[in-house]
Amino acid sequence: MQFSLKEIYKDYFRIGAAVSADSLDSHKELILKHFNSITCENAMKFGITEPERDKYKLEDADKIYNFAIDNGIAIRGHNFVWHQEVPDWLFENPDRELLKTVLDNHIKTLAERYPEVYCWDVINEGLDDSEERFYRDTPWYELFGEEYFKIAFDISDKYLKGKTLFYNDYNEFNPVKRRKYLELAERLKSEGVPISGVGLQCHLGLNHRFSIDEIKEGIELYAKLGLKLQITELDFSLYPYEDREMHTQPTFEEYKQQAETCKSVFRVFREYGKEIEAVTLWGVSDDVSWLNDFPVKGRKNGGLLFDEEQKPKECFYAICDF
Ligand code: GLA
């Protein structure tokens, strides 16, 4: 295969992948050939980095960080504040001052240990999906209310001066969520909160969870915020989110449709190539994609550009040839 994604897209944006420490060995060639940005799929999350209070476990994050540095690959940080994948001890004692100190230590430790990480998702998924609620009901929100946004961004800014600090969320093209996302970003900016990037996760699906027009319109609106813009967790599920059937093997027709979807989505990304800084796929190839276990455990769902044998799929060729 002569195509290299990072070469093809070098005049548009960085092409990234979420990786695990193991995939650096099992998928090394593919990563080196195609990607010039990586994100730790899980290794920098709170639950992994601090499974016990004051005891850091950073072997996997170290391995991924060193791999990036040794190979001249940019690395983005993911994530500091989220309601999932947090350790059990974190909210055991719901004391606001204590939690602020814990968060400060956490961010300081990661910021100092990984100085070359060029941007961080400071807050992940803090907005609610419904019409009724604005903020998602999480332990962070219960304890601090909306102030936790300011707290987390201020701490990050203290230790990460000059790095891009992202708010990152999904369902970002849904009109209800999009309105909230834009409002949140404007609100934070006007209050002087040091947010400097918006991350659009882009977990899409066939018959695209969102139409191409919605994606285009959304990107245009997010770009107008005047913040850095990245696609942070792209994949193309073969099944709509609502479909919980155990399909055994994806069909030729589904892969073909997937390729068409990829082609049109990347056409929009290229159109906004000046505004979009990086496009990161959530995984390297279909064998290691989270979609094989979500929302249906054990269901094969090839949502990435390379198949289970790490070979390029039709959707890969569809975005190389334009
Ligand atoms: C979310 C998170 C990611 C990852 C994906 C699915 O979108 O931001 O860290 O957990 O879900 O794997």
Side-chain angles (χ1 to χ4, degrees), residues 41-42 45 78-79 82 84-85 124-125 168 170 201 203 233 282 290:
E41 186 171 5
N42 296 307
K45 290 175 181 169
H78 175 81
N79 57 51
W82 193 25
Q84 287 186 38
E85 298 183 56
N124 203 31
E125 305 178 350
N168 189 48
Y170 69 94
Q201 291 188 4
H203 290 293
E233 306 187 16
W282 203 249
W290 74 299

Side-chain angles (χ1 to χ4, degrees), residues 101 217 231 248 255-256 287-288 295:
T101 311
E217 195 182 300
I231 307 300
T248 41
Y255 281 134
K256 208 168 147 44
D287 50 324
V288 286

Side-chain angles (χ1 to χ4, degrees), residues 116 166 170 183 210 225-226 236 246 270 299 316:
E116 298 298 325
F166 278 84
Y170 69 94
E183 192 180 323
F210 315 103
L225 287 167
F236 298 90
M246 184 60 130
R270 287 194 302 276
R299 175 175 76 181
F316 169 84

Side-chain angles (χ1 to χ4, degrees), residues 305-321:
L305 305 175
F306 302 95
D307 70 12
E308 298 202 313
E309 290 166 6
Q310 304 186 30
K311 300 221 177 67
K313 290 160 54 179
E314 200 170 328
C315 52
F316 169 84
Y317 292 110
I319 65 162
C320 290
D321 181 23

Side-chain angles (χ1 to χ4, degrees), residues 95-318:
D95 178 286
R96 287 164 52 108
E97 287 315 306
L98 175 68
L99 202 56
K100 270 194 222 170
T101 311
V102 166
L103 187 61
D104 192 292
N105 282 335
H106 178 76
I107 294 178
K108 179 174 193 281
T109 303
L110 297 189
E112 288 176 352
R113 194 171 179 104
Y114 305 120
E116 298 298 325
V117 168
Y118 77 100
C119 65
W120 273 95
D121 292 330
V122 173
I123 295 185
N124 203 31
E125 305 178 350
L127 290 171
D128 202 67
D129 289 298
S130 70
E131 292 264 10
E132 296 76 34
R133 277 190 73 98
F134 191 84
Y135 293 109
R136 186 191 279 266
D137 187 13
T138 70
W140 297 104
Y141 186 77
E142 271 167 30
L143 267 173
F144 296 103
E146 62 185 288
E147 202 199 336
Y148 85 89
F149 283 79
K150 178 168 166 46
I151 295 171
F153 275 103
D154 278 347
I155 298 174
S156 304
D157 187 51
K158 180 165 67 166
Y159 299 115
L160 291 158
K161 271 267 169 285
K163 305 278 162 82
T164 312
L165 304 179
F166 278 84
Y167 174 74
N168 189 48
D169 214 329
Y170 69 94
N171 244 349
E172 64 278 23
F173 300 120
N174 167 291
V176 174
K177 189 85 169 273
R178 183 182 79 188
R179 180 178 48 74
K180 286 191 249 185
Y181 199 148
L182 294 166
E183 192 180 323
L184 174 70
E186 290 292 9
R187 203 185 280 184
L188 295 176
K189 270 173 42 183
S190 70
E191 288 166 1
V193 173
I195 180 178
S196 43
V198 288
L200 312 181
Q201 291 188 4
C202 246
H203 290 293
L204 303 177
L206 279 205
N207 311 318
H208 341 130
R209 206 153 164 190
F210 315 103
S211 74
I212 281 293
D213 288 344
E214 277 172 320
I215 293 177
K216 192 172 148 62
E217 195 182 300
I219 290 184
E220 191 154 330
L221 289 168
Y222 288 113
K224 282 196 187 132
L225 287 167
L227 299 169
K228 291 263 172 67
L229 183 62
Q230 291 200 8
I231 307 300
T232 53
E233 306 187 16
L234 178 65
D235 47 27
F236 298 90
S237 169
L238 292 173
Y239 311 111
Y241 179 68
E242 298 68 31
D243 178 350
R244 300 298 156 94
E245 261 178 62
M246 184 60 130
H247 304 272
T248 41
Q249 183 62 38
T251 63
F252 174 76
E253 197 41 51
E254 282 162 346
Y255 281 134
K256 208 168 147 44
Q257 227 188 315
Q258 184 181 48
E260 281 160 22
T261 305
C262 281
K263 198 177 181 68
S264 29
V265 168
F266 269 81
R267 189 180 298 129
V268 174
F269 291 166
R270 287 194 302 276
E271 211 178 301
Y272 291 88
K274 289 226 169 15
E275 285 81 15
I276 298 174
E277 189 184 34
V279 173
T280 296
L281 287 129
W282 203 249
V284 183
S285 53
D286 286 347
D287 50 324
V288 286
S289 163
W290 74 299
L291 290 173
N292 294 326
D293 283 317
F294 184 87
V296 178
K297 195 150 186 57
R299 175 175 76 181
K300 283 194 178 163
N301 183 356
L304 297 165
L305 305 175
F306 302 95
D307 70 12
E308 298 202 313
E309 290 166 6
Q310 304 186 30
K311 300 221 177 67
K313 290 160 54 179
E314 200 170 328
C315 52
F316 169 84
Y317 292 110

